[in-house]
Each structure stands twice: as structure tokens, then as C-alpha cells.
Amino acid sequence: MTGTTSRPPRDASESALVLPRYLRDPEEQRTPLAYPGYKSTALRAPLRTPVDLPHRLTEVTGPVLGEDRVVPTDADLTLRMGGEAQGQRIIVFGRVLDSDGRPVPDALVEVWQANAGGRYRHVVDNWPAPLDPHFDGLGRVVTDSLGRYEFTTIKPGAYPWGNHHNAWRPAHIHFSLFGQAFTQRLVTQMYFPGDPLFEQDPIFNAIPPAARYRTISRFDLDRTQDNWALAYQWDIVLRGQDQTPFETDDDGDVA
Ligand SMILES: [Fe+2]
């Protein structure tokens, strides 16, 4: 110390830093926090109107994941515990883009899903579908310099979830994304085209009609692999007017 007095650190609002700003969704495009057909939202949705937080330094930055934490085998869910998973092998791939259509490199993309019989490997999932000893349903990958990601997995089965009589979730894969800032955090679900269960699923139908299609992947014949796997393409947009609909909380699923 030199004995000179120093001014207390300034907060971000006083600093000369020019912070990036992230677009907010228009209210009408947001998935509601409470949705009458989705029973558990009645207890967990806030009673007061949520307040949008200002974008300060904390919100416009994010964690540094570091290298080597995610390894290539993390992206192949079909080979676990010394064997091969049962079910229809599929490739799920796409790009993570920002609101201006620019690729988001180095984004952490994590997935979790039920097995081919529609069962999660989780202690509270005990409906009578078989567990697969070679499938844990967990995967992760980091996007490349062009924002691309790819998983090899099996197509998940539908499962009952008790929301209403004979309620079944459409086949889906849960996605969690960390982009370049906490404002680019996204938790959502990817569906498969033409699923006959869409119509009776309140989680899918809670999404505003104009945005539901963004959660449905596209079958891509060109990316299928002969004698090996089918392929589904799904691009994800973080923030902005073309944003993939957010989940406002977990959907009551296990794992
Ligand atoms: Fe689920």
C-alpha cells in the first residue's frame, strides 16, 4: 500500500464498460408460468408478476467451462456401462444460434431422456417399463466454432405421467444450454415430428401456438446413416425474436 486513498470500486452501471444486451421475448411469446391443464403449475407458479432483472455484468457473462471436461464419448448415449442401448438408434444434430442468426460456439449442450421403453433411470420413476442396463439417458457436448452440436442416442419412448387420466408425454429429449452469458441459459424440450400425443399434452400446448413448431425436430433423410441410424435436425435459438420457447421450470419429470 502506498498510503493513498482509493475510491471504492464502481458498479457496472457507472463503469465505462459497454455491456452487451440481450433481447427479451414479447410477453405473448412467453410460455406461461401457470397453465391450467398442467396441474403442477398451480402450486409452483408465482402469485405475483415476475420482475425482469436488469442486464448487469453478472447477467451478460457466463461460466468458463474449461477444456477437456466434456469428452467425445459424452455425446454418444448408445454406449454405456460396457454395452449397447436397446432401441431405434438416431442422430440428433443442429446448430445453436443467437438472436441475429450468428452461431454460438463453445455453448454447453446437455441432454437427458427416457429410454426406448419410456423410462428414466431415476429412483422415483417406477412405472412398469423395463430399464436398460446400457442406457443412462445422459449426454453432453460443446458446440464447435460454427455452433454445431451432435448426439447419437436412441429414440425415447412415450411415458405416462399422471397429470390427467391416461396422460402420456410425447417422445421428447430434454435440453439444457449454457451460451455465452447467463441470459443465454435455456432449458427446453425437443419433440419428434408427427407425434400423435401432441394434442393431449398440456406441456406442449402451454407453448404459445405460434412458437410450438420450434420445439419439433425435422427428420433429415440426408443425414441418416445406411444400416446404422435415422437422423433428426433441431436448431436452437438463444434469445431474440426467434427464440426457442423457454421452460419456466422443470416439467415434473424425473431425471
Ligand atoms: Fe421428460
Side-chain angles (χ1 to χ4, degrees), residues 112-114 120 159 169-170 172-174 189 251-255:
W112 64 100
Q113 64 167 93
Y120 288 96
Y159 59 82
R169 293 296 331 280
H172 61 276
I173 298 177
H174 295 265
Q189 298 181 28
D251 70 354
D253 294 334
V254 291

Side-chain angles (χ1 to χ4, degrees), residues 34-166:
Y35 188 74
Y38 181 2
K39 282 199 311 189
S40 57
T41 64
L43 293 177
R44 69 175 182 230
L47 298 176
R48 298 183 182 180
T49 304
V51 175
D52 284 333
L53 294 174
H55 289 175
R56 297 196 176 103
L57 192 58
T58 299
E59 286 73 31
V60 300
T61 55
V64 176
L65 300 171
E67 296 180 0
D68 303 326
R69 286 197 170 189
V70 179
V71 297
T73 53
D74 290 345
D76 187 347
L77 288 74
T78 67
L79 297 173
R80 293 289 155 83
M81 287 82 80
E84 192 167 13
Q86 297 285 327
Q88 175 71 66
R89 191 182 297 110
I90 61 173
I91 296 164
V92 177
F93 71 98
R95 290 201 300 162
V96 179
L97 306 168
D98 72 10
S99 55
D100 297 316
R102 294 175 299 204
V104 180
D106 303 318
L108 176 65
V109 184
E110 298 174 287
V111 294
W112 64 100
Q113 64 167 93
N115 67 21
R119 185 164 170 184
Y120 288 96
R121 180 172 290 281
H122 192 279
V123 66
V124 302
D125 190 357
N126 55 9
W127 80 285
L131 281 172
D132 184 336
H134 299 300
F135 189 75
D136 62 14
L138 306 172
R140 58 183 182 176
V141 70
V142 175
T143 57
D144 68 9
S145 60
L146 298 177
R148 296 176 298 191
Y149 75 89
E150 181 173 319
F151 293 98
T152 302
T153 185
I154 54 96
K155 188 172 181 182
Y159 59 82
W161 64 302
N163 181 74
H164 54 276
H165 175 67
N166 204 21

Side-chain angles (χ1 to χ4, degrees), residues 39 51 55 59 83 121 136 182 196 205 207 216 227 235 246:
K39 282 199 311 189
V51 175
H55 289 175
E59 286 73 31
R121 180 172 290 281
D136 62 14
F182 282 107
N205 288 298
I207 303 167
I216 303 172
N227 279 317
D235 290 342
F246 273 89

